Structures are given as C-alpha cells and as structure tokens.
C-alpha cells in the first residue's frame, strides 16, 4: 500500500511539472479563458519577474532560473539575468493588458509564452542559456508588438488629418490644433489596440490631466479621428455621474468611421473617468461606466447609436 501511495505521489508530481512546462496553471480560482489576455495579466501572469514567482511558489519549475537570477554574474551588464527577467515580464504583462480578448495580438502572445517557458526550464542553472532565452523572448515580444499594433502617429499624419480645419477657433479662443497639441504633451503617448486596423492613443497636458486629447489611427499611422476631452479624468471614482462641465468633442473626417470609433471611445472614457489602470474588482462599477451616457459630441455630425460591444476597461493603461 505504501509503495502504491508512493507511485501515486510521484505521478501527481510529474503531472504537475508537465502542466507547468506546458504553460498551464492549476488553480482552485476561476480560470480565465485561454485568450483573455487582460484577465491573464491580472491572474496567472500577475508578477513582475521570476524571482517574485519563486518566492510565492517554492514548487515552481522556474526555481533554477531564479537561482541564475541570484547567482550568475555575466561579463556585460546588459546580460544581467535579473534585469532581463524583469524587462521581459513587465513587457509581457503590459502587452497582455493591451491585447484584449480573443484578438490576434493576444493569441500571438499566449501561443509563444509556453515555448518560452519550456526553453527556460530546460536551461536549468546554465546562466548563459537563461540569458540567451530571455534575450530572444524580449526581441520576440518586440516583434509581436510591432506586428499587431499601429505605428506611432507622426506629426505629418496628425497635420494631414487636421488640414485647414486645424485653424478652426474653439469656444475658448484656441485653434483646434493648439488645443489638440496641449492634450498630447507627454511622450510616449499611451495607446491600446482596439482592432486590427484601429488603435487609440492619448495624452494630457503636463500637471493638468483634466485636459486631454485622444487620437484614433490605423495600421499605417493614418489618423481617423481626434477627441478633445475636458474634466473627465478620475471624475468617476467613487461616484455615479460626471460633473456637468465634463465633455468630449469628437472630430472625424469620414462619418462612416463613427461606428468603429465610438465603442472604443466609450470604453476609454469609462476607464479615464475611473483613473485608468482599472481592475474592475468592485461589483457593478465597470459595467455602470461602460454604459454611462458619456458627454460626447461630434463636430457637425449626429452620433449613431453604439451597436457593437464596448471593449473591456482593463486594456487602457498609462
């Protein structure tokens, strides 16, 4: 009987190691869907490096990689495994949060994570091997990000969108271009992919997060729309309504783009009202703000009703 119990114990241990090596994670908590990247970033991959994971779980198969983190002394500082480890994991989690659910971007991230983990485990305590695998993963993540996100909006693309309307005078005397630039005065601009050919990026005026500008752009960096946002950031935290002077002024050249843009703008505005980096861990709060009638007006255009799902708020981070 003892021998049978021993065999059972060994089988269970081997099965656990196999599940880890395959990139699986066993938990009694609700398991996110395989390609729900924001949920995975807040659960299975919610750590900033392997050392943090090793400290949480002494049985993790990454203990050898953690040993390398602590003990391997490379010749060049850029090959420091602890630095590479943190860089890779922070990059990976940031991308998960942006990638959305069941998107090609998300699938590329998840489908390449398992092979990376298996290579890392196979290195054992071999420092150069761990460094090489981490370096390859860092470059791989950069390639995935480049493939599935739009290039940054250039000044030329921004000015091409504005055209002669850039000199349009707003109610406070500023031109449209002047006001837009004030709300984009940080670098780099935070962004989130919304669809294969649609990315939202945004900024704010330094020391004045209540004055923001939002851009919608395509795969080649072409700007589709601009929104000027006032008195919205963090105004919904702990509340159920926005102040009366909150407003979102939307400018688009092609009215046909409104149906594509509005769901993302609604989600972004909800996340913005809650202060960004929203975890949605308070019952009903995120759902309330996803459905909240945002003070959006479109320049010389009526707003169509939003008929497509509003994206999750967890993908907007700054």
């Amino acid at each position: 009987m003892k021998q049978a119990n021993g065999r059972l114990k060994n089988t269970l241990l081997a099965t656990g190691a196999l599940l880890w090596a395959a990139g699986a994670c066993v938990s009694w908590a609700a398991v996110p869907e395989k390609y729900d990247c924001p949920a995975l970033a807040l659960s299975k991959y919610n750590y900033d490096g392997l050392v943090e994971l090793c400290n949480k779980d002494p049985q993790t198969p990454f203990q050898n990689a953690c040993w390398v983190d602590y003990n391997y002394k490379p010749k060049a500082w850029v090959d420091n495994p602890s630095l590479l480890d943190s860089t890779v994991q922070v990059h990976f989690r940031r991308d998960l949060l942006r990638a959305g659910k069941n998107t090609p971007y998300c699938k590329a991230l998840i489908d390449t994570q398992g092979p990376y983990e298996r290579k890392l485990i196979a290195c054992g305590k071999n420092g150069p091997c761990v460094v090489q695998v981490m370096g390859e993963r860092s470059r791989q993540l950069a390639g995935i990000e480049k493939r599935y996100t739009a290039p940054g909006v250039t000044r030329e693309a921004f000015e091409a969108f504005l055209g002669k309307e850039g000199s349009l005078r707003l109610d406070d005397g500023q031109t449209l271009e002047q006001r837009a630039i004030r709300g984009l005065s940080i670098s780099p601009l935070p962004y989130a992919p919304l669809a294969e050919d649609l990315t939202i990026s945004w900024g704010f005026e330094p020391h004045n997060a209540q004055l923001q500008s939002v851009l919608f752009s395509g795969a080649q960096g072409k700007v589709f729309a601009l929104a000027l946002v006032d008195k919205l950031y963090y105004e919904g935290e702990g509340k159920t309504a926005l102040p009366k002077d909150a407003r979102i002024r939307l400018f688009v050249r092609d009215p046909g783009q409104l149906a594509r843009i509005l769901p993302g703008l609604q989600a972004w505005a909800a996340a913005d009202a809650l202060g960004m980096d929203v975890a949605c861990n308070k019952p009903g709060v995120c759902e309330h703000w996803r459905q909240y009638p945002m003070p959006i007006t479109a320049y010389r255009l009526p707003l169509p009703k939003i008929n497509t799902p509003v994206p999750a708020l967890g993908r907007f981070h700054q």
Side-chain angles (χ1 to χ4, degrees):
M1 186 67 176
K2 288 183 178 180
Q3 187 176 4
N5 286 339
R7 285 198 300 270
L8 177 59
K9 181 179 180 181
N10 290 337
T11 300
L12 290 172
L13 289 172
T15 302
L18 181 61
L19 285 169
W20 263 109
C25 181
V26 179
S27 171
W28 292 111
V31 179
E33 294 180 33
K34 181 178 180 181
Y35 294 119
D36 186 347
C37 278
L40 288 167
L42 298 172
S43 55
K44 179 178 179 179
Y45 298 111
N46 191 18
Y47 54 90
D48 291 332
L50 292 178
V51 171
E52 181 182 339
L53 182 62
C54 289
N55 289 336
K56 289 180 179 178
D57 180 11
Q59 301 303 316
T60 176
F62 299 113
Q63 286 292 347
N64 284 335
C66 291
W67 183 93
V68 171
D69 264 17
Y70 279 119
N71 296 283
Y72 178 63
K73 307 299 180 186
K75 293 181 180 179
W77 70 269
V78 292
D79 292 332
N80 185 304
S82 182
L83 177 63
L84 281 169
D85 173 23
S86 177
T87 300
V88 167
Q89 183 57 24
V90 169
H91 190 168
F92 181 56
R93 283 196 71 243
R94 182 201 66 188
D95 289 356
L96 289 175
L97 289 165
R98 290 173 172 170
K101 181 178 178 180
N102 294 326
T103 63
Y105 188 12
C106 176
K107 291 177 181 179
L109 291 170
I110 297 303
D111 289 346
T112 54
Q113 181 67 10
Y116 162 64
E117 292 178 351
R118 290 193 289 274
K119 288 180 182 178
L120 205 56
I121 293 169
C123 284
K125 294 183 178 180
N126 185 325
C129 177
V130 169
V131 166
Q132 180 179 341
V133 170
M134 287 181 174
E136 290 173 352
R137 180 57 170 165
S138 180
R139 291 185 288 274
Q140 184 181 50
L141 289 173
I144 293 172
E145 180 181 14
K146 183 176 180 180
R147 178 179 178 184
Y148 291 102
T149 61
V153 174
T154 64
R155 181 63 183 250
E156 291 75 18
F158 174 65
E159 291 179 347
F161 168 77
L162 290 177
K164 63 181 181 180
E165 281 76 18
S167 59
L168 178 72
R169 289 286 171 183
L170 304 177
D171 54 10
D172 59 1
Q174 299 178 93
T175 66
L176 176 59
E177 182 176 8
Q178 288 170 338
R179 169 58 183 81
I181 290 174
R182 284 181 64 196
L184 297 170
S185 299
I186 61 170
S187 181
L189 296 177
Y191 70 91
L194 297 174
E196 193 166 341
D197 189 34
L198 186 64
T199 293
I200 183 173
S201 53
W202 65 93
F204 50 84
E205 186 176 51
H207 311 295
N208 182 16
Q210 296 292 338
L211 190 150
Q212 299 169 283
S213 297
V214 179
L215 297 173
F216 289 87
S217 58
Q220 303 305 316
K222 179 181 178 180
V223 178
F224 294 137
L226 162 70
L228 307 180
V229 183
D230 297 286
K231 303 294 180 67
L232 183 68
Y233 179 70
Y234 214 61
E235 290 291 346
E237 177 63 20
K239 304 171 187 174
T240 58
L242 292 174
K244 292 182 179 180
D245 55 351
R247 60 179 178 173
I248 302 172
R249 292 171 287 175
L250 182 61
F251 298 82
V252 297
R253 288 205 169 276
D254 178 5
Q257 294 289 346
L258 281 172
R260 296 181 67 215
I261 290 166
L262 286 174
L265 182 57
Q266 173 73 23
W268 177 89
D272 196 52
L274 293 173
M276 289 294 176
D277 303 285
V278 181
C280 289
N281 51 11
K282 296 179 181 178
V285 172
C286 282
E287 195 55 35
H288 168 77
W289 286 103
R290 285 178 73 196
Q291 299 177 11
Y292 184 83
M294 292 296 171
I296 303 172
T297 58
Y299 181 65
R300 293 183 175 177
L301 290 172
L303 288 178
K305 185 178 180 181
I306 298 176
N307 293 317
T308 54
V310 173
L313 309 192
R315 68 170 56 186
F316 304 102
H317 294 264
Q318 65 183 27

